[in-house]
Amino acid sequence: MELCKQASVEQDPEKLFRLVCAINELLEAKDKRLRSRAAEGQSDGKRIFQIAYDEMLLVSRAELLKKRGYEVSSAIGNDGAKGILDKGERYRIFIVGHAAPKETREEMVRWLKANFPNTKILVVNPPSSATLAEADYNVVLNGPEEWLSIVENTA
């Protein structure tokens, strides 16, 4: 919903195109998830949800994960994530991006822990920021290798 709201007022054609692509990816992922669940029950071994605070990072992280075979759902910001996440669904891991103030990201981690207590949370931190104590995993942003390794090894 947040991406749709942004797209409705975006004036830059390139940014609008990226937003529409991100919206389309989210809708396709949801359709795939619903079809898959109906056909074979709830398989959550490859499902990841990311909360990003920058649209370009949202798209690039999602692409990296999709290339590795994961089903990725994404949201921009805390409100966007809270509006999309269904407490009845299960995910392999949550990824919380780095491009927001520490307090914003801490609030998201607390909300995720309260609403999805059995799902691990990976927080990507900017080099200048301390780790978030309530997260299961903290990595400093320095390329995708470390956080991708954590995703791979999370059961």
Side-chain angles (χ1 to χ4, degrees), residues 120-140:
K120 300 292 185 189
I121 302 170
L122 164 64
V123 174
V124 181
N125 295 295
S128 62
S129 179
T131 61
L132 303 186
E134 293 184 44
D136 298 294
Y137 306 101
N138 280 277
V139 296
V140 174

Side-chain angles (χ1 to χ4, degrees), residues 92-96 105 109 113 119-125 131-140 146-147 149-155:
R92 177 187 193 98
I93 193 167
F94 291 109
I95 301 173
V96 178
R105 298 173 326 110
V109 170
K113 283 287 186 187
T119 304
K120 300 292 185 189
I121 302 170
L122 164 64
V123 174
V124 181
N125 295 295
T131 61
L132 303 186
E134 293 184 44
D136 298 294
Y137 306 101
N138 280 277
V139 296
V140 174
E146 188 176 0
W147 65 262
S149 174
I150 291 169
V151 170
E152 288 288 327
N153 293 305
T154 300

